[in-house]
């Protein structure tokens, strides 16, 4: 299968992962007991057939697994892009342009979603304050800047994406100069070192998640290619989803195992041969969800919040039987969010991406004209320099 098909399959996977996150949240909001008692437990703690059923459904709709895939895909796609950029342009251009493009890819969508959501909730709060509460403008500002996530918790993943900009850039440059393996060694080392930085629980989760991006970076390597070619994509997917459910949540190595299994699954999807799963992920429907996945991930929160406030009575009888209602409710939230997300993708995401490209080109051109940089690309004479990060793409 050609490279184009591989890329479209990754886009489709990202889209469906966004839907899984939404369903996970609606199930949890519908019945917090499922997230507290069933979801974190291992299968060794099964108490009944009904419990096992709930555990299987929660595993298939695991928001944690979906977010891990987000990070692995980011590591792969961004690392591949950086590798190509370092191979085709002077290094200083990539060092300047990549952060600019990345920041403008993330911040405008987040800011617009937060301020629109805040405006809507302020209006609703003036009508029914008991349902929608009161909002602090400082919270909106700080969440817009990604300095905290107390207003919209899901944006902690964007903090990870921002945090990864510098390590990814350095890793790709090392890969360009000395070979992919050394770039991988660097980013994994940095990711492991981040675990020893004293921080809050939330900050620890943010730093810890860098390891998933590092695993994604490794997908675009000879090891990732070999892993993908020898792995069965369906077995890799099943093991990625279910093996962690036999590992205690408190075990520190559990997340490393999840990241490694995500690496195997995405490698199989990216480097493996044709399959019905790839065909499904490359279908027009999957591509639509993939295209709007970022906006869907952001905008579903306001839809979910309003919906849960209006139908708060559904919390009256928590129980495993609420699982199916949570799924149905999630599908409704997704359906309502789709047109909003499609508009946001067209009128916010695309212009922001274009602005990032124009602005980075303008800065590069300005520096060239001012004579601050040497426009001549770096010439590398190391024997393995051709083994760049983008060599397998």
């Amino acid at each position: 299968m050609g490279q184009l098909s591989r890329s479209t399959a990754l886009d489709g996977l990202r889209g469906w992962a966004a839907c899984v996150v939404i369903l996970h949240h609606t199930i949890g909001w519908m019945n917090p007991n499922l997230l507290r008692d069933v979801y974190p437990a291992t299968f060794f703690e099964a108490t009944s057939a009904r419990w096992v059923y709930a555990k299987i459904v929660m595993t298939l709709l695991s928001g944690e697994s979906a977010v891990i895939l987000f990070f692995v895909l980011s590591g792969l796609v961004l690392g591949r892009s950086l590798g190509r950029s370092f191979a085709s342009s002077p290094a200083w251009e990539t060092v300047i342009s990549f952060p600019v493009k990345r920041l403008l890819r993330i911040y405008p969508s987040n800011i617009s979603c937060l301020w629109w959501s805040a405006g809507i909730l302020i209006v609703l709060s003036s009508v029914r304050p008991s349902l929608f509460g009161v909002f602090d403008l400082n919270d909106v500002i700080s969440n817009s800047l990604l300095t905290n996530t107390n207003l919209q918790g899901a944006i902690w993943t964007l903090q990870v994406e921002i945090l990864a900009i510098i390590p990814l850039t350095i890793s790709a440059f090392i890969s360009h100069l000395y070979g992919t393996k050394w770039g991988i060694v660097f980013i994994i080392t940095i990711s492991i070192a981040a675990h020893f930085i004293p921080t809050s629980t939330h900050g620890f989760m943010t730093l810890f998640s860098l390891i998933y991006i590092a695993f994604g970076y490794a997908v675009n390597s000879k090891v990732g290619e070999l892993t993908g070619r020898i792995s069965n994509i369906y077995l890799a997917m099943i093991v990625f989803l279910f093996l962690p459910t036999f590992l205690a949540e408190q075990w520190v190595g559990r997340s490393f195992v999840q990241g490694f299994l995500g690496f195997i699954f995405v490698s199989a999807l990216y480097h493996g041969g044709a399959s019905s799963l790839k065909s499904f992920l490359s279908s027009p429907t999957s591509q639509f969800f993939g295209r709007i996945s970022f906006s869907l991930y952001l905008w579903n929160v306001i839809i979910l919040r309003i919906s849960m406030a209006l139908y708060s009575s559904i919390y009256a009888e928590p129980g495993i039987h609420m699982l199916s209602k949570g799924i149905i409710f999630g599908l409704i939230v997704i359906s309502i969010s789709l047109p909003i997300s499609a508009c946001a993708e067209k009128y916010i995401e695309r212009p922001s991406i274009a602005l990032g490209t124009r602005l980075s080109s303008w800065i590069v051109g300005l520096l060239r004209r001012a004579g601050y940089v040497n426009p001549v690309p770096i010439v590398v004479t190391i024997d393995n320099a051709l083994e760049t990060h983008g060599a397998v793409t």
Side-chain angles (χ1 to χ4, degrees):
M1 181 172 287
Q3 189 62 54
L4 178 61
S5 296
R6 294 173 184 167
S7 297
T8 55
L10 298 181
D11 291 337
L13 178 62
R14 186 183 295 107
W16 292 114
C19 293
V20 167
V21 170
I22 297 172
L23 292 170
H24 181 88
H25 286 162
T26 55
I27 292 171
W29 281 45
M30 185 77 72
N31 182 6
N33 292 340
L34 285 172
L35 291 186
R36 187 186 66 243
D37 301 328
V38 178
Y39 182 67
T42 69
F43 272 105
F44 297 116
E45 302 172 64
T47 57
S48 65
R50 195 178 186 186
W51 187 99
V52 171
Y53 164 74
K55 180 65 176 177
I56 291 175
V57 175
M58 292 292 290
T59 300
L60 293 173
L61 299 178
S62 168
E64 180 185 27
S65 296
V67 168
I68 289 173
L69 286 179
F70 283 151
F71 290 140
V72 174
L73 291 172
S74 287
L76 165 59
V77 174
L78 296 177
R80 182 181 63 185
S81 176
L82 279 164
R84 288 173 172 171
S85 183
F86 276 119
S88 60
S89 306
W92 66 267
E93 287 190 14
T94 301
V95 171
I96 292 173
S97 62
F98 178 70
V100 173
K101 292 178 180 178
R102 195 67 188 143
L103 292 174
L104 285 172
R105 178 71 178 94
I106 294 172
Y107 271 105
S109 293
N110 180 55
I111 291 172
S112 61
C113 177
L114 277 167
W115 283 91
W116 271 102
S117 299
I120 293 170
L121 289 173
I122 287 172
V123 172
L124 293 175
S125 296
S126 65
V127 179
R128 295 289 300 276
S130 60
L131 281 180
F132 300 101
V134 179
F135 294 90
D136 187 341
L137 181 61
N138 291 327
D139 286 337
V140 181
I141 294 174
S142 59
N143 278 245
S144 298
L145 298 175
L146 295 176
T147 55
N148 73 54
T149 62
N150 57 339
L151 191 60
Q152 183 156 309
I155 61 175
W156 74 268
T157 59
L158 305 187
Q159 292 180 321
V160 179
E161 298 283 355
I162 297 294
L163 191 65
I165 290 175
I166 293 178
L168 274 173
T169 304
I170 297 174
S171 298
F173 185 58
I174 292 174
S175 295
H176 175 65
L177 291 179
Y178 305 111
T180 307
K181 60 183 178 182
W182 294 113
I184 294 173
V185 168
F186 172 81
I187 194 169
I188 290 181
T189 301
I190 291 296
S191 301
I192 294 175
H195 293 72
F196 299 96
I197 299 176
T199 183
S200 63
T201 301
H202 176 77
F204 178 79
M205 183 169 63
T206 301
L207 291 173
F208 192 89
S209 298
L210 284 175
I211 193 65
Y212 303 133
I213 292 179
F215 275 119
Y217 186 90
V219 171
N220 197 26
S221 67
K222 290 184 177 179
V223 174
E225 182 178 10
L226 177 61
T227 300
R229 293 190 183 281
I230 65 175
S231 300
N232 180 280
I233 191 169
Y234 299 104
L235 179 61
M237 180 175 64
I238 293 172
V239 173
F240 166 69
L241 290 172
F242 283 93
L243 180 59
T245 63
F246 293 92
L247 306 175
E249 190 178 49
Q250 297 79 11
W251 180 48
V252 67
R254 183 174 183 271
S255 294
F256 286 97
V257 172
Q258 288 176 294
F260 179 66
L261 295 176
F263 159 78
I264 295 175
F265 172 49
V266 175
S267 293
L269 182 65
Y270 185 65
H271 297 291
S275 67
S276 56
L277 178 60
K278 278 190 175 182
S279 299
F280 170 73
L281 294 176
S282 300
S283 67
T285 300
S286 296
Q287 290 306 292
F288 169 73
F289 278 96
R291 188 172 66 252
I292 68 169
S293 58
F294 184 34
S295 290
L296 182 62
Y297 180 78
L298 293 175
W299 284 91
N300 85 88
V301 177
I302 178 63
I303 304 300
L304 177 59
R305 188 163 187 169
I306 294 173
S307 301
M308 295 304 294
L310 294 175
Y311 296 98
S312 56
S313 60
I314 59 179
Y315 290 110
E317 296 181 43
I320 289 183
H321 67 281
M322 299 295 285
L323 179 61
S324 57
K325 291 185 179 179
I327 294 174
I328 295 172
F329 197 81
L331 294 176
I332 294 173
V333 169
I334 291 173
S335 299
I336 298 173
S337 303
L338 286 180
I340 300 173
S341 302
C343 290
E345 186 273 333
K346 181 176 181 180
Y347 296 109
I348 299 174
E349 287 190 54
R350 294 187 203 177
S352 299
I353 294 171
L355 176 61
T357 301
R358 290 196 299 270
L359 181 59
S360 60
S361 297
W362 179 80
I363 294 174
V364 167
L366 182 65
L367 292 174
R368 277 182 169 173
R369 290 190 296 272
Y372 289 117
V373 292
N374 183 358
V376 179
I378 296 175
V379 178
V380 182
T381 57
I382 299 173
D383 291 340
N384 63 348
L386 292 179
E387 189 190 8
T388 64
H389 179 69
V392 300
T393 62

